[in-house]
Structures are given as C-alpha cells and as structure tokens.
Amino acid sequence: MKTLFCYCHVGGELIVNSEGSVSYKGGTVDGLVIDQDTTYDSFITAVCEQLNITPTGRIFQYSVKYDKSRLMPLKNQNAINNLLNFNDDVGHVYVTEAKEVANVAVASARCSSQNESTADQCVQAEHAVETVDQCVEAEHESETMFLTDGSACSPRLALSSKEWDEEIMGAGQKFDSAEAFRMALCKYAFAKRFNYKFVRNHHTQMSVVCAVDGCCWKLTAYSSGKGSSSLTIRKFVDSHNHPKQDESNFKSTMKPKFILELVGEKITSSPNYLPREICKDIESAFDVKLSYQQSWRTKEKARLAIFGKTEDSYKLVPHLCQRLINVMPGTVATWTAVDSRFRQLFVSYNCSIRGFLHACRPLLFVDDFELSKPSRGVLLSVSALDANDNAFPLAYGVINSDDNPDCVWFFERLKSIIGDCDVLIITDRKQSLLSGLNQVFGSENNSYCFRSIKADFSKFFRQFHLGTNGDNTALTLLDDIAFARLDETYDKALKTMRKFNKDMYDWVLANNPELWANSLIKKKRWDKMNSDLTEPFNSWVLKNCQVPVLEFIKAHGDVLAELLVSRQRDVASWKSPVGDKIEQKINENLRKSEGLLATQLSEFVYEFTFQSSTGFVDLSSRACTCLEWQMTGIPCQHACRVLEGANLDVYSYVEKCYYKETQEAIYAELMSILPVDDMALGEVPDSECGAPFDLLPPAPITKRTGRPKLKPVSPHVTGKRPLCCSLCNESGHNRATCKKRKNT
C-alpha cells in the first residue's frame, strides 16, 4: 500500500522563482501521512486539526510532482487519489482564504494587461480565475456534504464562444460523424459571426456556403470511406468578400440541438432548471434572445435524452422494488396498479425503520409535493428527527392523486412499519391528507404545520388592506398565539388579537388552534411547529420530485446512503454529549439566565425571580413553570440558572433523545449498495419479481371543464372580501353609492 508524507501549509505565500522552482515563505507548516484508505472528509479534518484551523471559508489546494507551481483544487476523493498517485514520497497541500485566491487571480490579470509580451501570463491569470471558481464551487460542495452528485446546487452555466473559432481548422480535419460536423460548424459560424446554408446536407457529403449571396466562403466535407460514419473536410475557403457591416448586423438563430449542447449538462444536474432561466443564461452569455417555446422544447428534448420516455420508466418499478427487498432485507417497497397502470408506491428502507424505532422521537413530518408532467400525482415524504434535530428520512411514496383512498393506502403502509408506536404526525391542512391520517392513526395523533396556518392567515387578512406595518403586526400576533406555552399567555395573546381585529380573532378560533397552538396541543412535539423544507435532504426532495419515478427511486437511495454515512461520520466527531444544534440552544439559555435570581426551597425545588415574574424549577421531575423544559427536553433559562448555581452538569438534565449515544443508535446501520447497472428495459427477467413487465404510467387525470383559475382560493379561507369604497375607504358600499359623493 502506497503512503505519502504530506506537508500542510497555511498563512504563508507561495513564491514561484524565475527558474521555475517553488518556495513557501511565512505561515505555519505541519505534516501528516496518508495512504490509499484515506477519505476526503477524514483528510480535511486531519489537516484542520494539525493546523488548528476550521475548514469554513478556506480553500484547499495541492500540487503534483510534474508542476509544483500549478495549484489544483482539493475538493473531492478524486483529488485525494491524484495527490497520492502523482507524487512520489512527499506532497504539498496549501490552505488559503477564498478571497486571497481571488486577489491573486485579479492581480495576475491586471499585470498581464500591462505587459506587451504577456501571452503566458494571460493564460496563468485565466487559470487563476478558473481556479477561484473551482475552489468556491468546491467549498459549496463541502457544505452540502452528502449531495456529492451536485443535485443540491446547480453548477454555474459556463458558456463561452471564445474557442469556437477553432472548431473548423481546414482541409483534412476529421469528424466522427455528420452530427459532430454540424455542431462544430454551428459553433464556428457563431464565433465568426456569420450565417450559412447547406447546398448539400447528407451524412456522406456536406456542402456549405455563406448565407450572403455572392460570398466566396465555402466548405465541403465527404465521408472518410465506404461504410464509414466519419467525415473529412476536403475543401475550405475561409474568407468573406461581403462588407463588415454584415458581421456587425449578425443575428444568430440558435437551433434546438445547439441550445441543448450548451445547457444539457445543467439540465441533467438540475431537473428544476426552468425554461425562463435558460433564456436568461443564453442571453447573458451570447446576447441572443430565445423564445420561451425554444427553451421549453430544449428542456423536453434533454429530459427525453436523459430519462427516456415516461412510459418506459414505470415498467421497471416492480423489479426495482423487489431488488430493494432482496438487497436490504426488512425494507418495505410495495406498489399497486389498476388495469396495468401504476397507481401507488411506498418505500421505506430497513435502516430507516430500524433507526426510527430504536432511537428517534415519536414525531413525524409528512410533506406533500404536487407532481406535474411527466410523473403527475403526489409525492409524499415522511421524516423524523435525529438527536441533533436534523431530518431523518423514514419513508416516501408516490400516489396517483391526493384522493382519500390513495392517502389511506399510504398511511396504512406507514402504520405497518411503525407498529404500535404512539406518534404525533405534523402535516399541512389538505383535507385528503387529514381524512386519511385521521382514519388510520386517529385525530388525536394529528397536528397542523404552522407554516400552512400562517400562509392561510396571510391570505385571509389581505382583504383588510392593512399595509406593510399592519400585515407584520397581524403575523406577530399570530406568532404570539401559536408559540405561547402557558394558558394565561395564550389567552392574553388571543385578547390582543381580538382588540386588533375581531375578524382575525374569529378566524383563529375557527381554524382549530388546539391542533397548532403550543399551549393547547395535548401530545409532546418538542417545540417543533413545522418541518424544515430548507434542510438539505428535504430541499433535495423538493428539487428532484419532478424527475421520472424510476430515476427518483434510484437517486433517493443514493442520496440517503451518502447522508447516513455523513451523519455517522459526523457523530463520531462530537466533542460534547450533544450535537451542535442542541449545544447552541443550551448556550443560548445559559446566556439568558444571567441576571436571574434563584432561591432553594427544598432539596430539588427552587424559586426564581426575574423582574416582576416568579416561578419554580423542580429538578427531580425536570419541570419548570414556564413549561419550556417539559416541551423541549432541554433545560430552560430558569433551569440553567438553578443548575449553574448548584454546580450541576447541565448536560445530565437534557433528555436522552439528544445524546450522542442516541445519534449513534439512529445511524448504526447503513444502506447496502443497490446494483442497478443491469436494470435496463428488456434485460430484467419477469421471474425476478413475478410482476407484469408492461406496467404503464398512471391514467391521465381528467381536467375540469372551464378555464383554470390562476390563483385558486384556499379552502381554509372563510368569508368573502367585503365591499369597500374607494372614496371614503369604508366598507359596506362602493363609490357609486357613497353618501360623501352625493353630498359633494
């Protein structure tokens, strides 16, 4: 096994001497040994520990023995392998601030513009700028950790035509196919700013002339031989005899294949790359305006090239589900069909089921995402919380519609994997979801997502035209009602809302506050009001829910596997009994406890006073009169003051669901590798799962008659918008019947 001693440099300056030698002056240097088993994450962690720095905001670069003056970004496992393989016994890694690298790039570019013989310097400056872009991108990739496929963040659209004038070089140039020749010709003409037309366009013979009549520019290419698909340029007249004005008035008409060549990679990595974004990027890079239809057709062609026909993707769902069960025993992967058409899918991996049942809190979040073409239907995602309050994916499913039977089927599958676990489930207020949830789990296990409550409340009070300040006040009052822990605090907030606006007060009472207000919810939900859609994994689901169902199943398994590995590695680095999010909450409560006075009344009971308020903390029952300790499982500011005064360890009074041991139990089991390379249409035998191989996509959803509403009214908004006079701003009449108008 090959090993390498690696010098790690930080805080100094890399100097390239005139003869090409390299030296590093100033800063700190340390060393460590790596081998073929060294992973990227462990290497970055080891470097930071050796140099006593943090990885945030820093760029990691390395050099190879062939050219020690050229630094390359150290951003993934491949870079670690290159560092090891392309150095003999000693390697060098340089750690710099991102802005320092940017300054070097800009300085190099400025110097090159002031020197007459600066061809080499321009190349170096250009490389430096590219290095900055690569390093910044690498830093962003390290932040998303487990989303190494780039689906968490769209890669920048690197469009440029500066090198396209070399696509066509002259007679004798060979192209692999007629299509490759057409694409090269298209790029060349764009770079040279002229239009062309085909005199002959055949895969064995191409004859092209300039679109300006009488111009002498001409290009001919012929097949390289009988039966060969390649083309070779035979004649190339590279001159134009028409005025330069034709070049300055040049307007390109980009063809769909050409556009696809430019943006295909980004469409592949970012399924939610919108057609209007394609238009914007093309116009920004080439000053060419595309129509929406052009960009839409380009995206559809890319989707077809990447994922194939939608009909084909459903045919392999039965086989993929069975393979999941075979590779990971205990996994639940089931599907249904009606008249050979796909209807329902439910998937939950064994490692997720085990992690939830063994260590997670009995709290679930159900998020639903509307699917458009080609998938249609609804994607349901179920997640729990790990010991560091991160989302822990438990299950997901695809149903043909959000009708009650489909939702009941999904929740029945969910109940089968969690058994008798008494859970509290947080959802939005879609009636189909609520109906199915109440039917399977019971209404006592249901809680509303406060985000949906707030959104519906915002729609409701728009009718009052309160202005920005009034809107903010209304939302603040709703927050006070929702987050109040004590009954008296809730009642006080409700009375304040009544004084502010009686209609809003009535709206709150009519929208089941017992299912979303903190003080009224009977079951414990650890102060979690709604699911975090900005959390990396939930964000990934949101961005990739539009891909065909088969590709989503594959990608979901890959991303979840990387997430589990990343979290398992992360918990091993915890230096305190709890994770960083819980540590931050404890420190915040300790800070708030400053200034509180606590008096011991008995062995475990303390009385605290702060300003005009008085309360009690009971250490034996881990309770406080403010109820925060009971609701969150983390000592509140009052408990922190008591524990600190009694010289007791705060961590020992945190609930076990937040401990490092709990996190280790949640991520004790990882996913097995799912082989899918052989899973192509026609290659998987029917005997693998005994299912019909002609499974079709869902039946088309019947469109309602009439023109669809652009902004459908929320089913939760009660009442109509009152009639309001534009003259006196009073309700109940309009301008035509206003008394003030008649008086004037």
Side-chain angles (χ1 to χ4, degrees):
M1 177 181 297
K2 181 178 179 179
T3 59
L4 180 73
F5 183 82
C6 187
Y7 285 104
C8 305
H9 307 271
V10 66
E13 181 183 3
L14 184 67
I15 299 177
V16 181
N17 301 317
S18 58
E19 68 275 10
S21 61
V22 177
S23 61
Y24 194 83
K25 292 187 178 181
T28 304
V29 62
D30 209 328
L32 54 86
V33 178
I34 64 173
D35 55 34
Q36 295 174 352
D37 294 332
T38 302
T39 63
Y40 171 74
D41 291 332
S42 64
F43 178 76
I44 296 298
T45 302
V47 171
C48 292
E49 290 178 353
Q50 290 287 98
L51 299 176
N52 195 25
I53 60 174
T54 60
T56 306
R58 298 184 185 273
I59 300 300
F60 294 83
Q61 298 171 284
Y62 70 99
S63 62
V64 295
K65 63 180 181 180
Y66 305 112
D67 186 359
K68 295 186 180 297
S69 64
R70 182 66 57 89
L71 300 185
M72 291 169 287
L74 186 65
K75 61 181 180 178
N76 51 31
Q77 188 61 43
N78 289 334
I80 294 291
N81 297 336
N82 292 337
L83 171 65
L84 185 68
N85 295 330
F86 295 102
N87 286 291
D88 292 333
D89 299 319
V90 177
H92 293 268
V93 171
Y94 303 92
V95 185
T96 56
E97 298 286 347
K99 59 184 180 181
E100 292 178 4
V101 179
N103 291 338
V104 172
V106 174
S108 299
R110 288 175 178 173
C111 291
S112 63
S113 64
Q114 297 173 358
N115 196 322
E116 295 181 357
S117 57
T118 57
D120 293 337
Q121 295 178 4
C122 288
V123 173
Q124 293 176 0
E126 180 184 337
H127 175 76
V129 174
E130 293 174 353
T131 303
V132 173
D133 290 342
Q134 292 171 350
C135 292
V136 172
E137 184 178 354
E139 181 181 2
H140 186 60
E141 289 175 357
S142 66
E143 292 175 356
T144 55
M145 296 180 71
F146 61 90
L147 301 181
T148 54
D149 62 344
S151 56
C153 57
S154 302
R156 72 173 41 82
L157 190 59
L159 299 179
S160 175
S161 61
K162 61 183 180 181
E163 297 179 356
W164 290 352
D165 54 359
E166 297 181 358
E167 289 290 325
I168 303 294
M169 292 183 288
Q173 185 178 359
K174 189 175 181 180
F175 298 89
D176 294 335
S177 63
E179 190 60 40
F181 171 79
R182 295 188 187 100
M183 185 57 63
L185 177 61
C186 190
K187 292 180 179 179
Y188 176 82
F190 191 93
K192 293 293 188 178
R193 302 187 63 80
F194 74 95
N195 287 314
Y196 60 90
K197 59 184 178 181
F198 283 96
V199 178
R200 181 173 178 80
N201 187 359
H202 190 267
H203 68 276
T204 61
Q205 183 180 356
M206 299 281 186
S207 181
V208 192
V209 297
C210 180
V212 178
D213 293 337
C215 180
C216 63
W217 188 93
K218 184 177 182 181
L219 174 65
T220 58
Y222 294 88
S223 173
S224 300
K226 188 176 181 180
S228 174
S229 60
S230 61
L231 288 178
T232 302
I233 295 179
R234 297 290 180 86
K235 185 177 182 180
F236 181 38
V237 180
D238 188 18
S239 62
H240 299 269
N241 56 4
H242 50 80
K244 283 289 185 180
Q245 185 67 23
D246 293 333
E247 181 178 330
S248 61
N249 294 334
F250 167 76
K251 291 184 179 180
S252 173
T253 55
M254 287 191 172
K255 300 178 181 179
K257 289 184 179 180
F258 185 35
I259 303 173
L260 184 59
E261 174 79 9
L262 301 177
V263 299
E265 183 177 351
K266 186 168 183 178
I267 295 176
T268 303
S269 58
S270 304
N272 282 352
Y273 187 35
L274 300 177
R276 63 174 176 269
E277 294 175 335
I278 297 176
C279 296
K280 183 178 179 180
D281 287 340
I282 293 295
E283 183 177 2
S284 175
F286 300 115
D287 196 24
V288 175
K289 291 186 177 181
L290 299 181
S291 67
Y292 183 88
Q293 287 297 325
Q294 281 180 296
S295 57
W296 182 85
R297 285 194 296 267
T298 300
K299 183 174 180 179
E300 289 303 307
K301 287 184 178 181
R303 290 173 66 95
L304 181 63
I306 297 167
F307 302 116
K309 294 183 179 179
T310 305
E311 292 79 1
D312 296 340
S313 68
Y314 287 91
K315 295 181 180 180
L316 292 177
V317 169
H319 305 285
L320 188 56
C321 288
Q322 186 61 41
R323 185 165 292 186
L324 288 172
I325 296 173
N326 295 340
V327 173
M328 291 171 279
T331 294
V332 177
T334 182
W335 57 276
T336 64
V338 176
D339 298 330
S340 297
R341 287 191 174 274
F342 172 87
R343 184 167 184 84
Q344 300 156 333
L345 170 71
F346 179 90
V347 177
S348 182
Y349 303 103
N350 178 57
C351 54
S352 297
I353 299 173
R354 181 196 172 282
F356 174 76
L357 295 178
H358 280 67
C360 285
R361 284 162 272 176
L363 182 68
L364 293 177
F365 303 89
V366 178
D367 297 303
D368 61 293
F369 308 93
E370 295 287 344
L371 303 179
S372 59
K373 291 181 179 180
S375 300
R376 297 194 178 188
V378 179
L379 170 68
L380 298 176
S381 176
V382 184
S383 58
L385 291 174
D386 65 12
N388 197 30
D389 273 352
N390 293 314
F392 179 73
L394 175 60
Y396 69 91
V398 177
I399 53 180
N400 191 30
S401 67
D402 58 358
D403 294 337
N404 180 258
D406 285 341
C407 293
V408 169
W409 180 89
F410 178 83
F411 286 122
E412 285 176 346
R413 306 286 86 71
L414 179 62
K415 188 173 180 61
S416 68
I417 65 174
I418 65 176
D420 298 330
C421 182
D422 188 19
V423 297
L424 180 66
I425 302 178
I426 298 178
T427 66
D428 60 17
R429 299 195 298 161
K430 283 190 176 179
Q431 292 302 318
S432 54
L433 287 179
L434 295 177
S435 177
L437 179 62
N438 294 338
Q439 185 173 337
V440 177
F441 286 93
S443 58
E444 67 278 4
N445 293 315
N446 183 21
S447 178
Y448 291 162
C449 173
F450 182 58
R451 184 187 296 108
S452 64
I453 294 291
K454 207 166 185 177
D456 291 337
F457 183 66
S458 299
K459 295 176 184 177
F460 172 74
F461 68 62
R462 287 175 189 168
Q463 60 184 301
F464 303 112
H465 306 288
L466 303 175
T468 303
N469 293 333
D471 292 351
N472 293 335
T473 302
L475 293 175
T476 300
L477 294 176
L478 184 69
D479 288 342
D480 294 340
I481 294 173
F483 290 97
R485 304 183 191 279
L486 302 176
D487 291 339
E488 53 267 29
T489 309
Y490 169 81
D491 293 337
K492 182 179 179 180
L494 202 58
K495 289 179 181 178
T496 305
M497 177 69 82
R498 182 186 178 91
K499 291 180 181 179
F500 180 73
N501 189 295
K502 177 64 166 54
D503 292 328
M504 294 183 187
Y505 167 83
D506 294 336
W507 187 94
V508 171
L509 295 182
N511 281 270
N512 308 107
E514 67 277 3
L515 295 178
W516 50 269
N518 241 347
S519 62
L520 302 182
I521 294 177
K522 297 179 180 180
K523 289 194 173 184
K524 188 172 181 178
R525 66 174 181 180
W526 286 269
D527 228 25
K528 299 303 176 185
M529 304 294 288
N530 35 244
S531 61
D532 185 7
L533 293 179
T534 62
E535 196 272 347
F537 191 86
N538 291 339
S539 178
W540 178 88
V541 174
L542 180 63
K543 292 179 180 179
N544 290 270
C545 61
Q546 300 298 331
V547 302
V549 61
L550 184 67
E551 298 301 324
F552 180 83
I553 297 174
K554 294 178 182 178
H556 187 281
D558 294 339
V559 175
L560 179 58
E562 294 180 15
L563 169 67
L564 297 179
V565 172
S566 174
R567 296 271 174 84
Q568 189 182 74
R569 186 184 301 118
D570 176 67
V571 69
S573 64
W574 285 12
K575 296 182 180 179
S576 67
V578 297
D580 58 336
K581 292 184 178 180
I582 312 304
E583 181 84 19
Q584 183 179 357
K585 180 63 177 176
I586 293 174
N587 292 335
E588 181 182 353
N589 286 342
L590 286 171
R591 180 182 56 80
K592 291 180 179 179
S593 69
E594 297 176 0
L596 292 176
L597 298 177
T599 304
Q600 187 171 6
L601 302 180
S602 64
E603 183 180 0
F604 299 107
V605 179
Y606 292 77
E607 181 183 21
F608 64 85
T609 57
F610 180 71
Q611 295 179 352
S612 60
S613 62
T614 302
F616 301 92
V617 173
D618 188 347
L619 298 182
S620 61
S621 60
R622 301 191 176 194
C624 178
T625 52
C626 73
L627 298 184
E628 181 181 343
W629 196 358
Q630 297 93 303
M631 288 186 176
T632 64
I634 301 173
C636 60
Q637 55 181 316
H638 314 110
C640 285
R641 182 69 189 95
V642 169
L643 293 171
E644 193 175 29
N647 200 24
L648 296 174
D649 183 18
V650 176
Y651 296 112
S652 61
Y653 286 86
V654 176
E655 268 196 45
K656 291 185 178 180
C657 63
Y658 298 112
Y659 283 1
K660 181 177 181 179
E661 294 76 13
T662 303
Q663 188 82 335
E664 290 173 340
I666 293 175
Y667 296 103
E669 185 175 336
L670 302 178
M671 288 184 62
S672 303
I673 298 177
L674 180 67
V676 293
D677 294 340
D678 63 334
M679 192 159 285
L681 291 176
E683 295 183 7
V684 181
D686 293 351
S687 59
E688 180 171 342
C689 62
F693 194 76
D694 57 348
L695 185 65
L696 299 175
I701 299 176
T702 304
K703 287 186 63 176
R704 297 180 180 179
T705 57
R707 184 177 180 179
K709 295 181 179 180
L710 297 178
K711 295 182 178 179
V713 179
S714 171
H716 316 307
V717 177
T718 58
K720 296 182 179 180
R721 177 177 177 177
L723 194 63
C724 184
C725 177
S726 61
L727 184 63
C728 65
N729 293 326
E730 295 181 0
S731 59
H733 64 275
N734 58 18
R735 185 184 182 93
T737 58
C738 182
K739 294 181 180 180
K740 291 185 178 181
R741 181 187 178 190
K742 293 180 179 179
N743 293 335
T744 56

